Amino acid sequence: MAGVTESRPNFAEGATPPPALDEDRLAWLALTLSPGLGPRRILDAMRQLAAPSQIFELPLTAIEALKFPAAAAQFVFDGKARAAAEQEWVRARDQGVQLVTFSCPEYPERLKEIYDPPPVLWVRGDAAQLSRPSIAIVGTRHPTPYGTGVAEMLARDLSARGMLVVSGMARGVDSAAHKGALAAGKPTLAVWGTGADVIYPKENKKLAEDILATGGAIASELPLGTFPAPQNFPRRNRILSGVSVGVLVVEAGENSGTRVTARCAADQGRDVFAVPGNVTSKNSWTPNTLIKQGAQLTATWEDVWEVLSSQIRLELEAGWGLESKSNPGASLLPDAPPENLRGREAIVFAALRMDEALQLDQILELVEAQLSSAEVFTALFELELAGRIRSLPGKNYVRKM
């Protein structure tokens, strides 16, 4: 291993050497890094061996008998697969990334149920999160204010009741779901379509840091250093649904990749939930179609809760501690101003909506008979400061869920 360490120019001088190699985990990693081998072929091969590490001792003919392509068999036999695995082992250790293989106790049992579970997961953060009862919340990268608000609300409410929120940390609904869980002070799991050391999109660097700081985790089936590639994200979706008990679709157009996740969920026997949307909005096509096909119409956390198995509900409710009464789920419909709002703030708040942003000129027109423009400006400032509303680009405003 000394040679491997010395060959890495960015390995810290004088750093503690990596721990003794786990031969079985190294074998899973070696096959994952071999050309031409997919999850199913690797899993089928490992089932034929007495132990994963036996792969390093087989003659070439025996490796080929595992139905490996010629190039992959030669790669393993020549020792190149092991060398690549040793180098990746050191890189992962150097960057604080845990390698969770199919045979590790940390590998989520739920993920093992799918047709092609990833042989190796690169995990940053708390790997134990992978096995918690969870729900994947997914949707478009270009949500409406309504979609963003609903994703945050449902993620917050479900997280507060012990359910782990899983998403892909993409722009839009994914990011809103993670933020909702963090707003509840709870961990969340992000499954990436890049290496666990490559943040994508880059503007989500702070979000990734917050996920780890709150005890959550980031997981990927791709080696360190893997940059965004279009084909990686549809593959990633089977993991989102695979680790979860269900998938909740918020907003997504007809050709959205979210449909892939929903289809994976159905194929894997997972529950599918969908938030109904405005029939004139293109972002409502996928959730509304899923509801027509039998998905659970979802407006509040209770709609998810009532579909969960008794075993999962009991497991989650056991963690509620001394809470004797839960808060009712928020309504998606505009409601009366909260009782603690008075005067101009109450008037402006009543004019705003949850499902649609209003431009400043529209707000001024709606309340011009009651308030001056200066009073509207002041009310908007106070409401935003109090966390009642959200300011969007172009002087648009929307109620927070």
Side-chain angles (χ1 to χ4, degrees):
M1 284 302 298
V4 174
T5 302
E6 292 168 3
S7 70
R8 284 176 49 81
N10 62 345
F11 195 76
E13 185 177 352
T16 303
L21 294 174
D22 180 324
E23 290 293 313
D24 285 342
R25 278 203 288 168
L26 197 69
W28 284 103
L29 184 58
L31 295 190
T32 298
L33 298 175
S34 298
L37 295 183
R40 285 298 307 177
R41 200 184 295 264
I42 293 173
L43 291 169
D44 290 344
M46 286 301 196
R47 291 189 182 107
Q48 300 177 54
L49 304 178
S53 58
Q54 187 185 356
I55 193 72
F56 296 133
E57 303 167 2
L58 296 179
L60 181 58
T61 53
I63 298 174
E64 290 174 334
L66 295 173
K67 299 182 180 179
F68 284 7
Q74 194 70 48
F75 191 77
V76 174
F77 178 73
D78 289 344
K80 293 179 181 178
R82 183 187 178 98
E86 289 178 350
Q87 291 178 16
E88 186 71 4
W89 181 285
V90 174
R91 291 178 66 201
R93 182 235 173 239
D94 193 30
Q95 297 189 37
V97 175
Q98 185 175 352
L99 296 170
V100 179
T101 69
F102 190 85
S103 58
C104 287
E106 299 88 354
Y107 196 95
E109 290 297 323
R110 199 171 286 112
L111 189 57
K112 289 182 179 180
E113 299 170 359
I114 73 173
Y115 174 75
D116 52 352
V120 180
L121 289 171
W122 282 253
V123 182
R124 191 182 295 275
D126 184 6
Q129 300 294 344
L130 293 166
S131 297
R132 286 183 50 202
S134 58
I135 185 166
I137 300 180
V138 295
T140 179
R141 286 173 169 77
H142 307 286
T144 64
Y146 166 80
T148 301
V150 171
E152 288 187 11
M153 178 193 74
L154 291 172
R156 182 191 66 230
D157 291 349
L158 289 166
S159 293
R161 288 160 180 88
M163 198 155 208
L164 180 73
V165 168
V166 180
S167 200
M169 216 185 84
R171 296 183 181 97
V173 167
D174 286 22
S175 294
H178 291 304
K179 290 175 182 176
L182 295 174
K186 302 294 183 179
T188 177
L189 170 63
V191 182
W192 288 3
T194 61
D197 58 338
V198 179
I199 297 173
Y200 179 80
K202 290 183 178 179
E203 65 261 28
N204 274 349
K205 181 175 185 293
K206 177 65 164 57
L207 179 57
E209 292 170 349
D210 289 344
I211 289 173
L212 297 177
T214 313
I218 293 165
S220 173
E221 66 171 327
L222 300 168
L224 295 173
T226 302
F227 283 84
Q231 67 270 20
N232 291 341
F233 295 94
R235 285 177 54 204
R236 176 272 312 272
N237 292 342
R238 82 189 193 286
I239 302 176
L240 283 171
S241 55
V243 300
S244 305
V245 298
V247 170
L248 170 58
V249 177
V250 177
E251 283 188 331
E254 182 176 0
N255 298 314
S256 171
T258 300
R259 292 178 62 196
V260 176
T261 312
R263 186 166 60 247
C264 286
D267 292 343
Q268 294 164 357
R270 306 301 192 245
D271 291 316
V272 179
F273 306 87
V275 175
N278 186 330
V279 295
T280 64
S281 170
K282 63 180 182 180
N283 277 343
S284 300
W285 193 94
T286 291
N288 287 355
T289 299
L290 290 172
I291 291 169
K292 285 195 294 183
Q293 294 172 348
Q296 173 76 5
L297 187 151
T298 305
T300 69
W301 67 272
E302 290 103 326
D303 296 320
V304 173
W305 212 259
E306 67 184 23
V307 175
L308 298 178
S309 69
S310 299
Q311 179 182 351
I312 291 175
R313 282 207 306 269
L314 289 172
E315 180 181 345
L316 294 171
E317 289 169 5
W320 291 5
L322 300 177
E323 266 187 275
S324 59
K325 186 168 65 173
S326 59
N327 294 325
S331 169
L332 301 185
L333 300 175
D335 54 4
E339 292 181 3
N340 59 342
L341 287 183
R342 295 289 184 270
R344 61 195 176 200
E345 284 84 9
I347 294 171
V348 172
F349 186 84
L352 294 172
R353 297 179 57 85
M354 293 181 186
D355 59 349
E356 180 184 0
L358 294 183
Q359 211 273 338
L360 179 58
D361 289 341
Q362 293 175 286
I363 300 169
L364 290 170
E365 288 179 9
L366 289 171
V367 301
E368 64 180 348
Q370 299 166 282
L371 301 174
S372 67
S373 60
E375 289 175 313
V376 172
F377 299 151
T378 301
L380 289 170
F381 176 77
E382 295 293 342
L383 289 168
E384 187 174 2
L385 200 62
R388 300 283 191 185
I389 67 172
R390 179 187 291 112
S391 173
L392 302 175
K395 296 183 179 179
N396 288 284
Y397 297 86
V398 64
R399 285 195 199 182
K400 282 192 175 181
M401 294 288 181

